[in-house]
Amino acid sequence: MFSAIFGSVEQGIIFAIMALGVYLSFRVLDFPDLTVDGSFVSGAAVAATMILFGYHPAIATAVALIIGFLAGCITGLLHTKGKINPLLSGILMMIALYSVNLRIMGLTSENSIGRPNIPLLNAETLFSKFQAFFAPLGIDNAFNQFFSMLGVRYLPSTWGTVFIMAIIVLLIKFIVDWFLKTEVGLAIRATGDNKKMIRSLSANTDTLVIIGLGFSNALVAFSGALFAQYAKSADIGMGIGMIIIGLASVIIGEAIFGTKTIVRTTFAVIAGAIIYRIVLALALRVDFLDTGDMKLITAVIVISALILPQYFEKRRERARKARRHEERSAERNYSLTKEGTALVEARTDK
């Protein structure tokens, strides 16, 4: 149980970066961007290809981020300059990226133009390099001894992945919080809220949409690059359903933690991604469910996250109305009693 939850936390932190990208497009820009399913794989493909060619994993991950930014900008151009429907522009870019990703991964093969997957079993990644630095510190032994004392049987081989991903995610969260509070970030938020209003203030909404989608897909591709290094492989099908995972993380986080401020909302998105992976892992431990049911479980989780908050809000509203009705009834009865008492006293005086 502990090992399954620990692995879910590791993956959840990585997917939290992708969820932040989905939050920027769907919530901030109000743009249904399906480029995510393609740009996630683009980040993984670029990082894996460059690592196999001998580039440093940090450089490969940075290039993957840039490729994701370009993919998002092209989606924005299709919508703003090509006047294509937002949903359709994202779908077109996602389809185009499928072939592009095959070509990118095909660069590592001499016998074929396209390649569906790239293994990284013996390659140096960001995680392997950090674990080599982390292992001599003795932190793994300290944590494992502590949890052994608590009776935990199956312990992770290293805690380094969680540490480095926590640092990276917190850094990205602070960058997103800062960006959304800058002049450009505020303009992007205003564009998502009311495009006509911000256009009336002489703001170039087309440029803002392009920048917002570029930033969003840059985070998604960055997450894909990290996940490829974590899973030790990049696969052409690894991006299928990423948009649903991102939306599930956003919806779950917002339902549990709320959205009063930007800082709180970005934290909610990160926590939602981790909670989603934990719930998914626990659901898969049920006897009659297997890995083939992951999409169904995801759908059920998203539906529950959408419906349950509305249900509880309606119950709270009914309770508030009933409480107000009781208070008004009590006030009315008190007024009637007071008036009756005054009338009796007046008659007694006469």
Side-chain angles (χ1 to χ4, degrees), residues 26-289:
F26 272 80
R27 284 288 191 259
V28 176
L29 268 178
D30 194 23
F31 191 103
D33 184 21
L34 297 186
T35 312
V36 171
D37 284 11
S39 58
F40 185 86
V41 183
S42 296
V46 170
T49 300
M50 293 187 67
I51 287 172
L52 282 188
F53 282 155
Y55 289 92
H56 194 282
I59 297 175
T61 305
V63 174
L65 186 148
I66 295 171
I67 294 298
F69 181 82
L70 293 176
C73 288
I74 294 173
T75 301
L77 287 170
L78 290 175
H79 169 61
T80 57
K81 305 304 180 183
K83 305 303 179 184
I84 300 175
N85 178 274
L87 189 63
L88 183 57
S89 61
I91 293 173
L92 290 172
M93 194 60 199
M94 176 185 66
I95 294 172
L97 284 175
Y98 184 89
S99 298
V100 172
N101 295 334
L102 283 174
R103 289 274 186 169
I104 293 173
M105 290 192 285
L107 295 174
T108 61
S109 176
E110 297 179 358
N111 301 324
S112 61
I113 297 176
R115 185 176 180 181
N117 55 68
I118 298 176
L120 296 173
L121 297 176
N122 299 318
E124 287 287 334
T125 64
L126 281 177
F127 299 111
S128 62
K129 286 184 176 295
F130 184 79
Q131 287 166 10
F133 163 79
F134 188 80
L137 300 179
I139 298 177
D140 287 334
N141 292 331
F143 273 94
N144 288 340
Q145 288 177 4
F146 173 75
F147 283 99
S148 295
M149 292 172 57
L150 297 179
V152 179
R153 294 178 57 188
Y154 301 102
L155 296 169
S157 58
T158 179
W159 293 76
T161 302
V162 169
F163 273 81
I164 185 174
M165 281 311 307
I167 294 171
I168 291 173
V169 168
L170 287 176
L171 179 62
I172 291 176
K173 171 187 160 42
F174 292 141
I175 291 173
V176 172
D177 293 343
W178 167 81
F179 174 74
L180 292 178
K181 293 178 181 178
T182 62
E183 185 176 347
V184 175
L186 290 171
I188 290 175
R189 291 162 61 185
T191 300
D193 289 336
N194 192 328
K195 187 177 290 187
K196 292 182 178 179
M197 182 273 293
I198 193 67
R199 191 181 290 129
S200 67
L201 299 176
S202 301
N204 191 333
T205 55
D206 290 352
T207 302
L208 293 172
V209 169
I210 293 170
I211 293 173
L213 291 177
F215 190 19
S216 168
N217 283 278
L219 294 180
V220 173
F222 185 73
S223 176
L226 292 176
F227 186 74
Q229 296 174 68
Y230 170 82
K232 288 288 187 177
S233 68
D235 188 270
I236 193 65
M238 67 192 302
I240 297 175
M242 280 299 140
I243 187 63
I244 301 300
I245 295 174
L247 284 174
S249 303
V250 173
I251 292 168
I252 291 171
E254 290 180 346
I256 296 175
F257 299 100
T259 59
K260 288 186 177 180
T261 63
I262 290 295
V263 174
R264 183 172 178 175
T265 304
T266 52
F267 168 77
V269 171
I270 294 171
I274 297 173
I275 293 171
Y276 165 78
R277 298 303 303 185
I278 292 174
V279 171
L280 192 63
L282 295 177
L284 290 175
R285 294 180 67 86
V286 178
D287 293 335
F288 62 88
L289 294 175

